[in-house]
Amino acid sequence: MYTRGLNPTVQVVEEKIALLERAGGARLLGSGMAAITAAILSAARNGDHVVAVRSIYSNAYRLLNGYLPTLGIATTFADFTDLDAVEAAIRPETRVLYLESPGNPGMHIVDLEAVARMAQERGLVTVIDNTLATPYNQRPLEMGVDLVVHSVSKYLAGHSDVVAGAVAGSEKRMRAISANEIRDLGGIIGPFEAWLILRGIRTLGLRMQAHNHAGLAVACRLAERSEIERVHYAGLPSHPQHALASRQMRGFSGLMGVVVRGGMPAAISFANALRLFGIGVSWGGFESLALPMSPEDPAMSPELGIVPGFVRLSIGLEDEADLLEDLDNALRGIG
Ligand SMILES: Cc1ncc(COP(=O)(O)O)c(C=O)c1O
């Protein structure tokens, strides 16, 4: 046997992720997208149909909307904040409900228990991308969801030095995924990446406490600033689903969306004026990041809250007071 089939370092990390997610088993893959692909293809075949949350990671949107139709798997995107809309989107050939909660970057919340019940009654498989919450803040399998996927590149590894994914679920489901999608599609991870994840995951609890605390402090501060039109963060009482998020999550992480008054030029000036934030796409690490996002990207849209001026902030592990001061200074600069 060699690493494509079995590796002891990889196995140690898989056992830890299974324990964290309260799963019967977990498998590591070469990226979050490889994990998403393996999970969906484990439950949907040619002729099948997926109902997916509209507010999802942009490449997952492209996979469902662009690539999977070429394999005969169609997707309807629905507003999962409205369970009647989900029900209406389900067809006789539907096999999978694909979820992300909170959704990146609009921060919409799905009622996981209600959706899992709806799926169980109809024999559908539920898959959730739990990257944003992490198992520290939310454990979907305990709420009846069938499969959890992660971009381990983000909070689980936590140091922005590895690209990896994970799938977790019951022993039976994981045996089937291992014997089919993981072996045959080949999204294998190497032991060096697994070792980096092992180092990172040991501080997951401490890091998430810090991200939760600083994330909430930043969201509260920005919600008070006149230069900011809107803050999308489920930890704020003003979030339309704050009560639901508080029921199913222990904290709200460090990721949020803010809308800067003045559209894209103001969003770019704000991001450039920040001294402690880098500009970059792969969030969930130790360093804070800002990313102006365009509503013209087909995976985004104004109906998801991605309007001109939208900036995604990932709050890292720097000193919280320093971050608040940096944000205040940057906003004063554009005002
Ligand atoms: C919510 C979410 N899921 C999945 C992914 C994909 O992860 P990876 O880059 O490890 O393929 C990302 C990456 O940005 C993400 O934000």
Side-chain angles (χ1 to χ4, degrees):
M1 192 52 80
Y2 72 121
T3 289
R4 212 170 89 71
L6 196 74
N7 178 277
T9 313
V10 173
Q11 268 185 317
V12 170
V13 181
E14 289 174 340
E15 281 161 22
K16 287 189 189 298
I17 292 177
L19 285 168
L20 286 168
E21 286 289 4
R22 308 295 192 260
R27 291 299 311 270
L28 275 181
L29 292 101
S31 72
M33 276 310 296
I36 291 168
T37 306
I40 294 172
L41 290 182
S42 75
R45 296 276 179 274
N46 188 353
D48 290 345
H49 175 250
V50 178
V51 179
V53 171
R54 177 62 185 86
S55 171
I56 54 172
Y57 168 57
S58 54
N59 284 324
Y61 175 81
R62 278 183 269 269
L63 171 74
L64 289 161
N65 194 49
Y67 193 88
L68 290 185
T70 69
L71 304 181
I73 300 167
T75 294
T76 302
F77 292 92
D79 174 4
F80 273 66
T81 64
D82 174 1
L83 293 182
D84 292 337
V86 178
E87 187 119 37
I90 293 172
R91 303 180 192 162
E93 65 273 23
T94 303
R95 293 288 169 271
V96 177
L97 301 185
Y98 183 80
L99 318 170
E100 199 179 300
S101 181
N104 170 21
M107 304 298 146
H108 302 83
I109 306 292
V110 177
D111 184 335
L112 297 181
E113 272 175 0
V115 168
R117 213 173 314 119
M118 182 188 279
Q120 278 158 9
E121 283 163 11
R122 291 163 180 75
L124 310 179
V125 177
T126 38
V127 180
I128 185 170
D129 184 333
N130 200 32
T131 303
L132 203 160
T134 80
Y136 183 83
N137 284 330
Q138 173 171 278
R139 287 199 287 272
L141 299 178
E142 290 183 336
M143 291 182 256
V145 173
D146 296 308
L147 286 170
V148 167
V149 293
H150 279 280
S151 169
V152 179
S153 327
K154 312 292 188 290
Y155 287 127
L156 282 181
H159 293 71
S160 308
D161 54 5
V162 59
V163 177
V167 189
S170 69
E171 233 175 285
K172 185 172 168 213
R173 282 191 198 285
M174 293 315 301
R175 249 200 317 276
I177 290 181
S178 296
N180 297 297
E181 287 71 32
I182 292 181
R183 189 194 59 198
D184 296 345
L185 298 178
I188 305 300
I189 191 165
F192 182 69
E193 282 75 16
W195 175 76
L196 286 170
I197 298 163
L198 185 60
R199 296 293 303 259
I201 217 167
R202 288 191 170 127
T203 54
L204 179 70
L206 286 173
R207 286 187 287 107
M208 291 318 295
Q209 283 169 30
H211 287 301
N212 287 346
H213 197 275
L216 185 59
V218 166
C220 289
R221 174 69 64 90
L222 293 181
E224 286 169 1
R225 297 282 317 201
S226 59
E227 301 88 343
I228 299 288
E229 204 172 298
R230 179 114 194 245
V231 178
H232 298 272
Y233 186 71
L236 287 180
S238 59
H239 187 287
Q241 296 168 288
H242 176 65
L244 169 62
S246 304
R247 256 202 327 275
Q248 61 190 25
M249 298 176 76
R250 176 182 181 181
F252 306 98
S253 94
L255 202 74
M256 69 192 70
V258 300
V259 180
V260 184
R261 281 187 211 285
M264 191 52 125
I268 291 172
S269 308
F270 171 58
N272 282 333
L274 289 163
R275 316 302 316 166
L276 297 181
F277 289 64
I279 296 177
V281 293
S282 193
W283 48 275
F286 56 89
E287 76 289 48
S288 291
L289 294 178
L291 184 70
M293 295 179 95
S294 168
E296 279 140 40
D297 180 337
M300 307 293 155
S301 93
E303 99 222 19
L304 302 176
I306 320 302
V307 295
F310 191 97
V311 180
R312 193 180 66 192
L313 295 178
S314 175
I315 306 305
L317 299 174
E318 302 89 344
D319 182 80
E320 192 177 298
D322 287 351
L323 289 174
L324 292 172
E325 191 185 338
D326 192 30
L327 289 158
D328 280 339
N329 288 340
L331 286 173
R332 262 195 295 277
I334 60 158

